[in-house]
Each structure stands twice: as C-alpha cells, then as structure tokens.
Amino acid sequence: MRKQRKLQIDVKGPMEDDANIIEMVLSIDGRDCRFYTSKANYEALIYDGVFVRDGKEKDSANCVNTTNVYFEQ
C-alpha cells in the first residue's frame, strides 16, 4: 500500500516583469514544483475559496497566499 501524499500550494506572487502572471509552488511531500498561472485564474481560485488568506500581504515564508494541506486518499 502506498503512503498518503501531502499536497499544498503556496503563492509567491506576481512576476516582477509581468503582474498578470502569478508564481506558485506546488509541494508534494516536501518536493517543490514551481508553476505559473494568470492573474485572472488566481483571482478565480481566491473567489472559489481554494486559498486560506486574502492574498494581500506576504507571510513569514514569503508567500502571499496558501492552501490548506491536503492528504491523498
């Protein structure tokens, strides 16, 4: 039986050279994978309640937003 994997997404924020592109980090069992999405997609995810904060200020981990931690079933 395979171990349950732990998943979380942290939002680093907009790219320096293009505020319409949002940098995110998908973490699966501590392995990070950086990816990017449009500002419109990010705002839709905030509206849908995917993230736990309002995304206006960086936290101590230098992230503007994050999801809950999810475990694979």
Side-chain angles (χ1 to χ4, degrees):
M1 177 187 242
R2 191 169 78 185
K3 174 185 126 187
Q4 277 189 329
R5 291 181 287 187
K6 181 173 81 171
L7 173 119
Q8 185 173 29
I9 299 172
D10 290 329
V11 180
K12 293 298 187 176
M15 299 296 295
E16 281 188 29
D17 58 341
D18 188 348
N20 289 313
I21 303 296
I22 307 298
E23 180 180 5
M24 299 187 180
V25 177
L26 170 64
S27 178
I28 300 175
D29 289 338
R31 181 176 181 266
D32 293 342
C33 179
R34 197 165 304 274
F35 70 100
Y36 304 87
T37 192
S38 69
K39 183 177 180 181
N41 282 341
Y42 172 56
E43 289 172 350
L45 291 170
I46 291 173
Y47 178 82
D48 291 341
V50 172
F51 297 102
V52 298
R53 297 195 302 263
D54 64 10
K56 295 182 180 174
E57 294 182 26
K58 289 189 176 188
D59 63 12
S60 61
N62 204 29
C63 296
V64 295
N65 221 331
T66 192
T67 63
N68 288 311
V69 175
Y70 296 97
F71 292 91
E72 181 179 48
Q73 291 189 0

